[in-house]
Amino acid sequence: RLLKKARERNDRTGVTGVLLYDDFSFLQVLEGAPDDVQRTLARIRRDPRHTSLTVVQDAPIERREFSDWSMAYGRGDSVEIDRVRNARKLDRDFVRLLAARLSQPASKVFVQQFGERAAR
């Protein structure tokens, strides 16, 4: 439900990004107009399901890394959403491919480290 709602909201507001999940840890990259990203972040902070939220980087970027993604694994169908919903472990191959395509150094490092932590 979280992924589906995030995709719907992000489509409406023009926010793009990726959400990585491993057990009960999340790493999220949000991109878009500063006001839209801040509103999205404020909504996430108000959600009681989220704790220990830390913003690692808040800076302008030259281009979006996920311009064709409203959130997570691309624009997937219901089969893909079911696969994500039932997964408790992060797909390490997906993380490697994702990190390789990132141009923002901070995003690249945090995605790589999150993937390495999940591999343990």
Side-chain angles (χ1 to χ4, degrees), residues 13 15 33-46:
T13 62
V15 172
D35 289 345
D36 295 332
V37 170
Q38 290 305 317
R39 277 192 290 276
T40 300
L41 183 58
R43 188 174 57 255
I44 292 168
R45 285 185 191 279
R46 287 190 305 269

Side-chain angles (χ1 to χ4, degrees), residues 77-89:
D77 56 21
S78 61
V79 172
E80 183 179 336
I81 292 172
D82 286 341
R83 182 180 62 81
V84 172
R85 180 186 308 137
N86 295 323
R88 287 188 47 121
K89 282 295 183 191

Side-chain angles (χ1 to χ4, degrees), residues 10 52 78:
N10 293 348
S52 304
S78 61

Side-chain angles (χ1 to χ4, degrees), residues 58-95:
D58 182 2
I61 56 176
E62 287 185 30
R63 66 175 176 80
R64 291 183 188 219
E65 303 279 4
F66 309 101
S67 61
D68 55 342
W69 292 15
S70 59
M71 187 52 58
Y73 292 84
R75 295 185 193 278
D77 56 21
S78 61
V79 172
E80 183 179 336
I81 292 172
D82 286 341
R83 182 180 62 81
V84 172
R85 180 186 308 137
N86 295 323
R88 287 188 47 121
K89 282 295 183 191
L90 188 63
D91 182 336
R92 287 178 291 211
D93 291 333
F94 174 78
V95 173

